[in-house]
Amino acid sequence: MTDFNWCHGPECHKKHTVDRVRGVKGSKVLRTRKIKATQWNRHSQWEYFCSNHCQNDFWNKHILDIVAIAPRTECQETPINDPVRTKHSNPYHNWYDTEITVDETRQS
Ligand SMILES: [Zn+2]
């Protein structure tokens, strides 16, 4: 079992950062980043992506395949109590808060 993954970002090896430079003089390359498995990234996207940018690149390239894993063909709803709007004020301005709470009696 390996203790690392290569970043799954399809453009990772094209990003111009010095930490991606590998190889001997005259034969340099930009290489996909290696991601070490740690207790902090295990079973999360950060075990497979070195950055938000690489994750976004992957999503944009594979979006149709990704949503096909768990298609959403209809909306979902969470039952809530009637929202309560409260006015607040201080000597300078007024503002409103709207409290939204889940109606636990209608939870399935
Ligand atoms: Zn990457």
Side-chain angles (χ1 to χ4, degrees):
M1 186 174 151
T2 60
D3 62 348
F4 70 89
N5 291 308
W6 294 108
C7 175
H8 282 49
E11 307 291 322
C12 192
H13 65 293
K14 296 179 181 175
K15 299 184 189 314
H16 294 194
T17 64
V18 293
D19 67 301
R20 288 177 169 92
V21 175
R22 293 289 185 277
V24 296
K25 201 168 187 176
S27 186
K28 297 284 187 183
V29 297
L30 290 169
R31 183 178 293 165
T32 299
R33 280 178 172 159
K34 184 186 279 191
I35 302 165
K36 186 174 171 44
T38 70
Q39 63 175 320
W40 310 110
N41 66 13
R42 188 165 308 284
H43 305 308
S44 77
Q45 71 267 39
W46 306 122
E47 195 175 349
Y48 300 95
F49 298 100
C50 75
S51 66
N52 275 310
H53 199 158
C54 279
Q55 183 179 230
N56 290 343
D57 289 346
F58 182 89
W59 270 86
N60 288 329
K61 182 175 181 183
H62 299 291
I63 186 64
L64 295 178
D65 292 329
I66 292 168
V67 295
I69 294 169
R72 167 94 51 237
T73 56
E74 51 191 47
C75 65
Q76 295 182 302
E77 295 181 343
T78 301
I80 61 169
N81 298 306
D82 293 342
V84 178
R85 189 169 191 241
T86 307
K87 181 179 181 180
H88 302 275
S89 62
N90 65 25
Y92 307 105
H93 65 281
N94 301 321
W95 70 96
Y96 294 89
D97 278 340
T98 302
E99 185 179 15
I100 297 174
T101 57
V102 173
D103 183 348
E104 303 291 349
T105 67
R106 293 190 292 147
Q107 284 289 72
S108 53

